[in-house]
Amino acid sequence: MLRATLKSLLARKVRLLLSGLAVVLGVMFVSGAFVLTDTLGRSFDAIFADAYEGIDVNVTAKPKIAVDETQGEQVAPPFPAAALEKVDTLPGVAEATGVVGAQGARLIGSNGKVVPTLGPPQLGGNWLGESDLVRLREGREPRADDEIVVNAALAEAAKVSVGDRVGVLTLEPKREFTLVGVFGYSGDRDSIGGAHEVMFTTPVAQRLMLGQPGTYSSIAVRAADGVRPEALRDDVAGVLGAEYDVKTGEQASEAASAGLKEGLSFFNQILLGFAGVALLVGTFLILNTFSIIVAQRTRELALMRAIGASGRQIIGSVVLEAIAVGLLASALGLAAGIGIGALLAYLFGQFAGGLTLAGLAVPPAAVVSSFAVGMLITLVAALLPALRAARIPPIAAMQDVATPDRPLTKITVAGAVVTTVGAVLLALGLTDNAGGNTLAAILGGVLFAFVGVALLTPLISRPVVSLLGAVFAWSVPGKLGRLNSGRNPRRTAITAAALMVGIALVTGVTVVLDSAKSSIADRAADTIDAELTISGAQSGPRQPTFDPAVIDKAAALPGVSTALGLFNDFAEVDGEQRYVNAATDLAAVERIFHAKATSGSLATLRPDQIALSEPVAKNRGKAVGDTLTIQFARGARHTYTVAAIVPEDRLPGAYLLPRESAADFTVPQPYLALVQLADGTSIGQVQPRLEELVADSPEVSVADRAAFVEQQTGAFDQLLTMIQILLALAIVIAVLGIVNTLALSVLERTRELGLLRAIGLRRAQTMRMITVEAVVISVFGALLGVVVGTGLGAAVVRALKEEGITELVLPWSQMGVFLGLAALIGVIAAALPAIRAARINVLGAIAHD
């Protein structure tokens, strides 16, 4: 039986290769994700080991708000020079150096624009001199207040050189400096991790990067000879107290690397999610392949039963084929994943400004997951066809066997049950009733929904396919293709379901993002009564801001009736982390947002008072006169009294504070200005004057309301493009499924095709018949995907109504494009099977058994 199975496997190499290719692509994503994150993780380990080289103990102040990598920037507050003096006088300390280092130093390049970076930080600090790690390559160290040095990576990106006058944006507005030096790192590196670094004299760095003269962000301690870092760490911690975070250099390196790895793990989960989609689509392909092969081998398997093979041996035969396919596909997928992981790591390094990558290695998780996933998917997909093969009666060997259509009752009931489970899970997840497992409920609901719809598809495939095929029924090849596409509902449904998954996900995401964009635009039109805005598109880790003085100058311009500046920060409100806003003019908030308080008064808000949106006040049980305690990233904890409650969507944020509170924000500069014009004043009269006011803030621009909305929603288009690229793999696998189904179908219908050719069907007509069959199946799958995706997208939009997505937008044009692409996919997928069908030897085909 084993020899017979192996011979059968070798006789069907091409068709099994096609089914295995789906597993290869899915496993490639899985192994590639692990290789990528392992390579980047070890690279970050090496980077921070370099950064803390020569530091035995590192001291920072404990952050006032704990922020993880997905929430934003972790801000450690500065501490006074007195702490440095305490450490420096400790026994066992050879040297204690006060370090200034913070995010947010943006250099203006030779083109007059801020040098962008979407990954690495934009750091500003104090120049500490040369060391084994840092060396000046050109020029000298900064000595005067208007002198800086930058690392070689930033100098190259900005296209500046020693002697140039350059602008730098920090916690303060643009200042001009003379570039007096360019430095690099050991190993001929232009940067560490692609970071852009600007180094000032210590007093200037303290003022511009920390906002407080005479303070530091950390202390680098070098131990005296014979003193263990662990012992010195404990001594330093004992002197400074619980407000400081004291670590050995090795611990500080590991902690810094762990923070970035947390972000990488999230990225890894995204890649694994797309791998799961690809493998789900691949499951349909393999299931279809083995079902067709079993149907084609009915007589062969029946003969085996007739000569004594048991049902268990027949199952073992099919499962053995699946194991062989799974092993080979997993090995190929692992190899391809290693290559893809290395390529993605290289691209990430280039994107991050020349990140020095660690050597390529294959983590055990990549190997184990590749073979576990590949084998599991293949075996699960082959199980049903194997069970079906075991039920073939021996008498089937003695007659001309055709695989009869089986009733659809069981599969329909199963589909209804699975779809219902998916709907329930989605409802629990989207309404936050999943008991802390929201993401798992949503993902499980989507999976069950897809499988359930796939099980229900055979029920509707015949009538829908017949209707779609009617478009081509004007010719004999078209009629035959239409009939062929509907002759086996199960096979058609499984083939179409593979394409449905990819199209449905793209459609669903498009519905959600288009609805979000429309909701933002409608909300802006409905709630913001301002003709012009000042803001910027984010091109680095920190949101663009500008000089607060611009707001007052804008308000004084002729033709301007109101100018409002808004600040934003992440804070801890009564122990919960929330975004809070501050406004330069609370009376202007009333005018521009039509924010009439239902309780209290917004316009008379004092520095120790706060305004809340109605939903937040209701959820927290707060009324006018109650208090809230807020801890900002900088400064002491503040207690605010609720002085106004404003209807939902009539405040710029759920928590609104007076201008004075912004002094404790991470960046005490406005990120947005809204300008209301006086009656009879045109935009063209005021916009040029506003542009003059922000000439020293190249990160921001002046725009009308439509352009502002377009700027704010541009990220949605980028996100959609990225998702479409990643889901393209699932669609490629679906195309392979159509090719595979048609190729096997051509083999299955060899005699039939020979008879059609014998009675006059020409080669071109044969090719047209196969193409019609492929197009109908492909369009059917896309139609299913559009319908299912629209339903899922609409459900998500409905669940996000409380989050501000109030408009449901159906992307009709994109849906039309998807259906058109499906027809093209059908034509492409049909090419090889159609050519093969047209080349069939007529006499040989008629004699084919």
Side-chain angles (χ1 to χ4, degrees), residues 136-141 162 180-182:
L136 281 169
R137 293 184 182 175
E138 300 177 51
R140 59 172 176 81
E141 64 183 13
V162 172
V180 297
V182 175

Side-chain angles (χ1 to χ4, degrees), residues 505-595:
L505 288 173
V506 174
T507 302
V509 171
T510 304
V511 168
V512 174
L513 294 183
D514 282 1
S515 297
K517 288 169 62 177
S518 178
S519 299
I520 291 173
D522 287 352
R523 185 172 184 268
D526 182 52
T527 61
I528 301 177
D529 186 10
E531 288 80 9
L532 290 170
T533 64
I534 301 174
S535 65
Q538 192 163 344
S539 61
R542 187 173 279 183
Q543 194 171 22
T545 57
F546 52 93
D547 187 354
V550 169
I551 307 298
D552 299 325
K553 292 176 182 177
L557 288 176
V560 172
S561 65
T562 303
L564 170 66
L566 296 175
F567 307 77
N568 180 269
D569 200 14
F570 200 60
E572 196 172 79
V573 182
D574 278 352
E576 296 181 2
Q577 293 181 347
R578 293 289 184 267
Y579 281 99
V580 297
N581 291 273
T584 56
D585 184 349
L586 294 165
V589 173
E590 285 191 337
R591 292 192 295 273
I592 290 178
F593 287 89
H594 305 294

Side-chain angles (χ1 to χ4, degrees), residues 63-103:
K64 297 179 182 295
I65 304 173
V67 179
D68 64 34
E69 291 292 322
T70 60
Q71 291 175 313
E73 179 186 351
Q74 179 72 274
V75 179
F79 52 82
L84 174 62
E85 295 170 2
K86 286 183 180 180
V87 174
D88 196 29
T89 57
L90 274 176
V93 173
E95 183 181 13
T97 304
V99 179
V100 177
Q103 174 79 262

Side-chain angles (χ1 to χ4, degrees), residues 140-209:
R140 59 172 176 81
E141 64 183 13
R143 297 168 189 156
D145 287 353
D146 67 340
E147 294 179 344
I148 60 170
V149 294
V150 301
N151 66 8
L154 178 54
E156 182 180 355
K159 292 182 171 47
V160 295
S161 56
V162 172
D164 290 347
R165 289 290 288 180
V166 295
V168 181
L169 304 176
T170 58
L171 292 179
E172 294 186 6
K174 175 186 171 183
R175 285 193 54 184
E176 293 282 341
F177 293 88
T178 299
L179 179 62
V180 297
V182 175
F183 65 92
Y185 291 89
S186 59
D188 199 31
R189 291 171 295 174
D190 292 342
S191 69
I192 288 186
H196 289 173
E197 295 172 280
V198 181
M199 297 298 180
F200 311 87
T201 60
T202 296
V204 174
Q206 290 170 332
R207 187 172 68 254
L208 298 185
M209 301 310 304

